[in-house]
């Protein structure tokens, strides 16, 4: 039985999509069967794996609406063992369309629960907000990875996200776990980066992944070629970091 993991933080630019795409690719290389669900209207995970967003006929929008079976929205990618339910800009409308629906927070859960038997990991790339889309992802997930960038405002908003997770646990998904806090965009030369690492580890100790994602030019370049860091530059620091994260995740979920 597979594990559904949401990758969430309401702050933009913290490395959610970078983590979703490259963790999926790393798990795939380590011979795990992975499905990535793009639940962000910006559709960066979709284009980051080489798909043309404009040509998406069916994706996470239709899956959330329950107008198609999730199986019919799954597309294979060039990354080994990685498939994706892509996103399209249409997804922006889903928040309004779901508002009047009964069990609106559970639309994704109901749709994808059956897929757990077909994959080792289902990763959900969340939108940078705490709206209905992210709520659906947290309700469907077994656990959540929270990327935190090693910068000045790192902990700002984290309390709000943790409160949202608590209320999801209370009302919609009592089994939701925090898989871990993932420190991203780390630069060992900067005192600030080191301070943030210390601060996060002091407050959240065992909740923090040992793997830290370092700032890496190649990591930033890969999406513009529609590739994960694993296929773009397997020898880079970024690739090593994400392979290490994938191994850590596999160990944790044994």
């Amino acid at each position: 039985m597979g594990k559904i993991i949401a990758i969430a933080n309401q702050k933009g630019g913290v490395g959610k999509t970078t983590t979703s795409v490259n963790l999926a690719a790393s798990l795939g290389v380590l011979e795990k069967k992975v499905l990535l669900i793009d639940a962000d209207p910006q559709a960066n995970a979709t284009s980051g794996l080489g798909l043309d967003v404009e040509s998406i006929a069916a994706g996470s929008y239709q899956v959330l609406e329950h107008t198609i079976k999730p199986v019919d929205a799954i597309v294979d990618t060039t990354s080994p063992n990685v498939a994706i339910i892509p996103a399209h800009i249409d997804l922006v409308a889903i928040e309004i369309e779901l508002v009047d629906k009964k069990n609106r927070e559970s639309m994704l859960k109901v749709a994808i629960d059956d897929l757990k038997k077909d994959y080792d990991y289902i990763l959900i790339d969340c939108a940078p907000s705490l709206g209905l889309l992210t709520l659906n992802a947290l309700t469907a997930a077994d656990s959540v990875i929270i990327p935190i960038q090693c910068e000045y405002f790192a902990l700002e908003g984290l309390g709000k996200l943790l409160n949202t997770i608590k209320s999801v646990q209370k009302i919609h998904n009592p089994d939701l776990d925090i898989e871990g806090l993932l420190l991203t965009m780390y630069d060992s030369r900067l005192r600030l980066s080191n301070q943030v690492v210390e601060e996060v580890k002091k407050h959240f100790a065992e909740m923090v992944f040992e793997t830290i994602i370092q700032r890496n030019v190649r990591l930033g370049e890969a999406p513009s070629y529609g590739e994960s860091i694993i296929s773009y530059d397997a020898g880079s620091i970024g690739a090593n970091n994400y392979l290490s994260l994938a191994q850590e995740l596999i160990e944790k979920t044994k």
Side-chain angles (χ1 to χ4, degrees), residues 3 21 33 36 39 41-42 54 66 80-81 89-90 110 129 171 174 211 218 226 238:
K3 184 168 196 180
V21 167
K33 202 174 174 204
L36 177 58
Q42 294 175 70
E54 292 308 314
H66 292 188
N81 299 318
I89 189 65
D90 286 358
V110 170
S129 73
I171 304 164
T211 303
R218 307 296 274 170

Side-chain angles (χ1 to χ4, degrees), residues 22-170:
N22 294 310
L23 177 57
S26 300
L27 288 164
V29 163
L30 296 172
E31 297 184 346
K32 298 294 176 188
K33 202 174 174 204
V34 185
L35 175 65
L36 177 58
I37 299 174
D38 194 346
D40 182 354
Q42 294 175 70
N44 291 336
T46 301
S47 58
L49 279 174
L51 276 73
D52 174 18
V53 175
E54 292 308 314
S55 66
I56 302 300
S60 47
Y61 176 70
Q62 287 80 6
V63 169
L64 273 153
E65 272 200 321
H66 292 188
T67 52
I68 62 166
K69 290 191 174 117
V71 165
D72 298 329
I74 295 172
V75 181
D76 283 325
T77 72
T78 52
S79 272
N81 299 318
V82 179
I84 187 170
I85 293 181
H88 187 274
I89 189 65
D90 286 358
L91 191 57
V92 117
I94 202 78
E95 305 246 341
I96 299 155
E97 289 172 26
L98 289 184
V99 155
D100 303 330
K101 292 257 167 73
K102 196 174 177 239
N103 300 328
R104 58 189 183 182
E105 296 89 357
S106 307
M107 299 296 274
L108 186 61
K109 182 181 176 65
V110 170
I112 67 170
D113 243 10
D114 268 2
L115 294 176
K116 282 175 88 167
K117 64 183 186 311
D118 301 324
Y119 295 92
D120 296 306
Y121 293 94
I122 297 175
L123 304 180
I124 309 172
D125 184 28
C126 294
S129 73
L130 293 177
L132 257 181
L133 267 173
T134 299
L135 215 48
N136 262 273
L138 294 174
T139 303
D142 298 307
S143 66
V144 55
I145 290 175
I146 304 170
I148 300 172
Q149 85 280 41
C150 295
E151 285 169 10
Y152 185 65
F153 292 116
L155 297 177
E156 193 187 66
L158 185 57
K160 202 173 175 188
L161 177 60
L162 293 174
N163 284 337
T164 300
I165 290 168
K166 265 188 203 140
S167 64
V168 169
Q169 287 166 328
K170 203 182 290 180

